[in-house]
Amino acid sequence: MAGDPKPFSISTDNITHEGMENQDQSNILKKHVMFFDRNHDGVIYPSETFEGFRAIGCGVLLSSVAAVFINLGLSGKTRPGKHFSIHFPIEVENIKLAKHGSDSGVYDKEGRFVSSKFEEIFAKHAQTHPGALTSNELKNLLKSNREQKDYGGWLAAFTEWKILYHLCKDENGLLHKDVIRAAYDGSLFERMEKEKASKKQKISSNVG
């Protein structure tokens, strides 16, 4: 997109998953979105979604579109029984209610991480490199997950994966398994924010 920065590679050397297998699996989907709850009050407003996308390296245009698309799409689903709010808040505690169709199934209906479904992504689609996806393999993954006439789910899945690929593919155009897994548990976003801040600090130091 015009105005967006060039994609930068994420180092997988220091990506950890905090022993995902030993975590409370019901919290994994919440961990995925908690990064965008910038003031940690359990509610994500469009301004926080925008701020979160900017923090991981997205341009102003992409961050703006993401904030509108995500909050308008998820707010009502995470606030069952409540009146419409013009502020379009997303309630983190109920994020499992916003799970869309046509996805990989790595999160189950309760928002838990399903290891077998995660491994299935690479067993089925990582034909070039066993631990990474190419652009074409990602397209095949999205096509294979499509549910009939689930246009909203198609769009949501396409948007999520394409943004991840745009920001995190390496110099060879590969989206690595460790990066994808870190995206699922949310640790990737924190890593990206730290790397962006570090690069900004180095640039400032060199200018100074």
Side-chain angles (χ1 to χ4, degrees), residues 81-121:
K82 294 185 179 180
H83 293 298
F84 167 80
S85 172
I86 196 172
H87 301 294
F88 295 102
I90 296 171
E91 296 190 4
V92 175
E93 186 64 29
N94 296 324
I95 193 63
K96 67 180 182 181
L97 301 178
K99 185 177 178 293
H100 61 77
S102 299
D103 65 357
S104 61
V106 174
Y107 297 124
D108 68 10
K109 291 182 178 179
E110 296 300 317
R112 295 171 296 211
F113 183 85
V114 183
S115 297
S116 60
K117 286 292 186 180
F118 178 75
E119 295 298 334
E120 189 177 285
I121 291 175

Side-chain angles (χ1 to χ4, degrees), residues 156-174:
F158 176 85
T159 303
E160 292 166 355
W161 281 100
K162 284 298 183 178
I163 290 176
L164 181 62
Y165 182 81
H166 169 71
L167 290 175
C168 298
K169 66 179 185 293
D170 69 9
E171 64 275 9
N172 297 313
L174 297 174

Side-chain angles (χ1 to χ4, degrees), residues 15-30:
I15 288 181
T16 61
H17 308 288
E18 301 175 355
M20 185 183 282
E21 292 79 3
N22 298 320
Q23 293 184 52
D24 178 357
Q25 297 300 294
S26 65
N27 286 334
I28 299 302
L29 181 54
K30 286 193 285 186

